[in-house]
Amino acid sequence: MATALATGLLSGIWTYIAPLFGLLIWAGFAGCTTFFAVGTGRWRALATATITNITGVACGMVILVLASAADFSAGMAILSGIVTTIMVLLGSVKPMNYTPGIFVGAFSTFASGGDWSVITISLLCGVFLGFFSAELGMKFAALYRKLAPGKALAGDEKKKAKALR
């Protein structure tokens, strides 16, 4: 519950401020999703989500740049197949060992029309959105335990708090 409240609060703030800085709200949520989906907690999740999203942006840009230079109709399809194979292989190499994060970066690059700088910043802000949501959730949980010492956290909240330490 504490992480849900923290994530809701920070997501609302993100939704308000992202357009003020020319950032993409949806891409921030994609980066946040990567952070939470990594599932390793705190600093490791932050590093993995950051590295995989940036790797995905680079792969997406490789496809877009090479496809625009290809002088045949199936160029985009062939290059997508080749680079996708590389993306999956990269997912088995540390520190990029989270293939879905690489795909999030790549599809976000396509969705942004290849605006690599805006998409990279938006994704990274989202990764930090996830990180700070988890951190604030732990603070909320600690505050709750302090204010209501007789009340125990639900089993899922105990597991999440322990995993994020």
Side-chain angles (χ1 to χ4, degrees):
M1 180 66 141
T3 301
L5 291 173
T7 304
L9 172 68
L10 294 180
S11 291
I13 293 169
W14 166 252
T15 301
Y16 181 78
I17 66 169
L20 300 176
F21 295 97
L23 300 175
L24 303 170
I25 296 167
W26 64 265
F29 286 121
C32 184
T33 300
T34 304
F35 172 83
F36 281 113
V38 167
T40 58
R42 296 188 89 175
W43 301 106
R44 187 170 169 203
L46 180 67
T48 301
T50 298
I51 291 166
T52 58
N53 280 176
I54 291 172
T55 300
V57 170
C59 290
M61 287 306 299
V62 165
I63 293 169
L64 291 174
V65 169
L66 292 178
S68 69
D71 195 23
F72 55 99
S73 61
M76 178 71 139
I78 293 169
L79 290 165
S80 290
I82 292 168
V83 175
T84 298
T85 301
I86 294 168
M87 288 166 49
V88 173
L89 292 172
L90 286 173
S92 64
V93 176
K94 287 189 178 196
M96 296 172 279
N97 57 335
Y98 187 67
T99 304
I102 298 171
F103 275 84
V104 167
F107 81 65
S108 297
T109 302
F110 300 141
S112 74
D115 191 348
W116 66 269
S117 59
V118 170
I119 201 65
T120 300
I121 294 168
S122 298
L123 284 168
L124 293 180
C125 285
V127 170
F128 279 97
L129 171 64
F131 177 79
F132 288 123
S133 293
E135 293 293 310
L136 185 58
M138 288 190 297
K139 299 288 186 205
F140 283 172
L143 179 63
Y144 178 76
R145 285 191 301 274
K146 183 177 179 182
L147 295 175
K151 304 272 184 175
L153 288 174
D156 286 345
E157 286 295 322
K158 286 181 187 176
K159 289 177 188 173
K160 285 180 186 175
K162 186 176 180 181
L164 290 172
R165 286 189 199 135

